[in-house]
Amino acid sequence: MDLFKLFACLGAAPALGVFATQAVSFVPPASSPLSTSANYVGINNGSLPIEQIVPGRVFDRFIQIWLENTDFSVANSTAEFRSLAERGILLSQYFALTHPSQPNYAATIAGSFFGIADDSVHDIPSNVSTMVDVLEHGGISWAAYMENLPADGFNGASFSSVNYVTPGAADYPFYMRKHNPPILFDSVLKNPSRLARVRNFNDFAVDATAGALPQWLFVTPNMVNDAHDTTIDFAANWLQFWLEPLLEDERFNNERTLILLTFDENESQNQNNNIFGLLLGGAVPSSMKGTVDTTYYTHYSAMSTVQSNWGLGCLGRGDTDPVMSNVYELVASATGFENNPVSGKKIPLTNASGATPGPLNPSPSLRTPWPAANSSAICAGGGPVIATPL
Ligand SMILES: *[C@@H]1O[C@H](CO)[C@@H](O)[C@H](O)[C@H]1NC(C)=O
Ligand SMILES: *[C@@H]1O[C@H](CO)[C@@H](O)[C@H](O)[C@H]1NC(C)=O
Ligand SMILES: *[C@@H]1O[C@H](CO)[C@@H](O)[C@H](O)[C@H]1NC(C)=O
Ligand SMILES: *[C@@H]1O[C@H](CO)[C@@H](O)[C@H](O)[C@H]1NC(C)=O
Ligand SMILES: *[C@@H]1O[C@H](CO)[C@@H](O)[C@H](O)[C@H]1NC(C)=O
Ligand SMILES: *[C@@H]1O[C@H](CO)[C@@H](O)[C@H](O)[C@H]1NC(C)=O
């Protein structure tokens, strides 16, 4: 494929940022996915330690890669995504939880977005547990890799750096806190050893090269590579640059790796929130490559699937919701988890913004106290409800 093909940013979609009126072509931020680069900003401080691998039922490593604001049909009709779908399991009934971006990122590790309906800075109180607690309780190592994060654990709302895409232009806000799940939670923000696991892409390069990638990874590309300020074709070019070579690299993807490539939300808010989700990696058996799984999933499914795979505890929030937390069939069929057959009109409408009550809902009439976790919830992994941070 021609990585440097010029294309125009089309349409009047709200996702388009300052590039809306100018043609931009993909520019690789580094010479290869495992090279460090000044474009990634934050220097590397040394790799994470190589930690003990806790074996799971279906996979030993789970890597989530989130792109931005794209309808299912748009991704599914883009050549690079079709090509990847031939190598994985397409989740055709995968739905985001709400709009805009930030609440989806918060919910995917907390099992709730607590009523958030904006992209403003929120500090979720230190008594709210997240997947970080569930993982650490089970001895599963984790890290979040944020492209263009200026320093590990950086807590600014955004960060602008040299515009390597349009040389000579002003510094560009490539990094956004709203797309960084762990940093939204004080249980991470106020804990230095956890903060050191909120890392940038120079750390990724060094960790992967050292064979030190943890067992649970969340990967957020920058605001151009994730399609937020650009187009699906720009993100497709980034996948060709970054993901394609890594799929062939044992330090990232081996026969015990499961990768979820997905989007935070659907672009067309007047329709329900169906997004493209694709399971890739060596843990997908050859016989299932190029297949479609039509089970209803949401972002909560990434939590329940991880819990089911490793026999972990849970949060007793959305991750145990009887409708919204189906476990990927690839894993459910191995662990005996019974999915709920939700389809058609029974699929909840999750395309509204601000309609869900919660402590961070902007509307006073929909604001509630901080909810307690459901301490009698049944965890997909059979472990305990982890109601407060470790
Ligand atoms: C995704 O695209 C393929 C190829 O065009 C098509 O056959 C398939 O029906 C699409 N999937 C869905 C669920 O629309
Ligand atoms: C390197 O580590 C130090 C000490 O933990 C920290 O203050 C600094 O922000 C780190 N630098 C980067 C670029 O992450
Ligand atoms: C959500 O989608 C449904 C149909 O899919 C539509 O009827 C409804 O108006 C949408 N809601 C919003 C808030 O756009
Ligand atoms: C957004 O998702 C809905 C599924 O609920 C889908 O019908 C619709 O096609 C998507 N929007 C667009 C414009 O593709
Ligand atoms: C958590 O802390 C908030 C205040 O930050 C408080 O309102 C809430 O009751 C606490 N929740 C629990 C379950 O202790
Ligand atoms: C808590 O979980 C239990 C067990 O699944 C369920 O029966 C109960 O309805 C849940 N409570 C709430 C408030 O959701």
Side-chain angles (χ1 to χ4, degrees):
M1 290 297 291
D2 180 8
L3 288 186
F4 303 97
K5 191 181 62 149
L6 269 179
F7 55 85
C9 293
L10 299 170
L16 298 178
V18 298
F19 288 148
T21 55
Q22 75 190 98
V24 285
S25 53
F26 176 73
V27 175
S31 58
S32 75
L34 295 189
S35 306
T36 56
S37 166
N39 291 329
Y40 292 146
V41 190
I43 56 155
N44 168 265
N45 260 340
S47 79
L48 289 171
I50 296 177
E51 283 152 304
Q52 180 151 16
I53 297 290
V54 179
R57 287 292 290 277
V58 174
F59 53 85
D60 297 344
R61 178 179 290 141
F62 183 63
I63 302 173
Q64 292 187 70
I65 305 165
W66 276 35
L67 305 175
E68 277 278 316
N69 300 1
T70 300
D71 291 331
F72 176 91
S73 55
V74 171
N76 190 51
S77 58
T78 299
E80 172 64 10
F81 291 85
R82 292 292 342 143
S83 159
L84 288 169
E86 293 305 313
R87 287 169 269 167
I89 302 172
L90 177 60
L91 310 178
S92 64
Q93 296 293 298
Y94 184 167
F95 288 74
L97 294 164
T98 184
H99 294 291
S101 294
Q102 179 166 253
N104 286 294
Y105 286 84
T108 200
I109 66 162
S112 173
F113 52 89
F114 306 106
I116 297 175
D118 53 47
D119 286 328
S120 318
V121 170
H122 292 285
D123 289 306
I124 298 169
S126 56
N127 59 4
V128 173
S129 51
T130 71
M131 273 306 280
V132 166
D133 300 291
V134 171
L135 293 165
E136 289 186 356
H137 181 264
I140 313 289
S141 58
W142 66 276
Y145 293 99
M146 304 285 127
E147 194 171 16
N148 289 80
L149 186 75
D152 296 346
F154 174 75
N155 188 35
S158 67
F159 193 81
S160 296
S161 53
V162 172
N163 192 334
Y164 68 90
V165 178
T166 308
D171 283 3
Y172 192 85
F174 285 111
Y175 167 78
M176 290 286 162
R177 181 186 192 266
K178 63 183 179 172
H179 296 166
N180 182 343
I183 212 80
L184 308 176
F185 295 87
D186 281 352
S187 61
V188 173
L189 193 58
K190 297 191 170 157
N191 179 328
S193 67
R194 288 179 168 184
L195 268 188
R197 291 179 176 274
V198 182
R199 300 167 73 75
N200 76 15
F201 271 33
N202 281 328
D203 296 311
F204 175 84
V206 170
D207 291 350
T209 302
L213 287 179
Q215 290 194 268
W216 184 99
L217 272 61
F218 195 98
V219 177
T220 303
N222 72 27
M223 293 289 280
V224 292
N225 291 333
D226 70 2
H228 185 284
D229 293 352
T230 54
T231 62
I232 194 67
D233 293 317
F234 196 109
N237 284 341
W238 177 75
L239 290 169
Q240 288 167 353
F241 159 74
W242 194 84
L243 182 61
E244 293 270 5
L246 289 174
L247 288 176
E248 308 304 322
D249 191 320
E250 287 268 319
R251 294 168 294 188
F252 179 84
N253 175 32
N254 66 23
E255 72 284 355
R256 299 287 298 165
T257 303
L258 187 67
I259 299 164
L260 171 67
L261 175 65
T262 192
F263 294 80
D264 68 329
E265 56 181 326
N266 171 320
E267 175 72 7
S268 305
Q269 304 200 8
N270 59 345
Q271 315 234 25
N272 204 5
N273 217 337
N274 189 198
I275 48 174
F276 182 93
L278 181 64
L279 299 179
L280 288 165
V284 175
S286 313
S287 61
M288 295 181 80
K289 288 186 177 155
T291 62
V292 180
D293 176 354
T294 59
T295 311
Y296 170 63
Y297 300 117
T298 73
H299 291 319
Y300 296 142
S301 300
M303 305 173 70
S304 57
T305 297
V306 162
Q307 294 161 6
S308 184
N309 177 66
W310 273 300
L312 300 175
C314 66
L315 301 173
R317 301 193 197 105
D319 57 337
T320 55
D321 184 285
V323 172
M324 300 178 86
S325 68
N326 280 336
V327 168
Y328 307 146
E329 269 302 324
L330 172 70
V331 172
S333 60
T335 60
F337 186 90
E338 217 174 298
N339 277 327
N340 187 343
V342 182
S343 65
K345 290 208 174 345
K346 294 213 178 99
I347 291 181
L349 287 177
T350 53
N351 52 330
S353 182
T356 307
L360 299 176
N361 192 295
S363 159
S365 63
L366 291 174
R367 212 167 293 150
T368 65
W370 285 91
N374 182 354
S375 56
S376 48
I378 313 282
C379 300
V385 175
I386 299 177
T388 52
L390 302 184

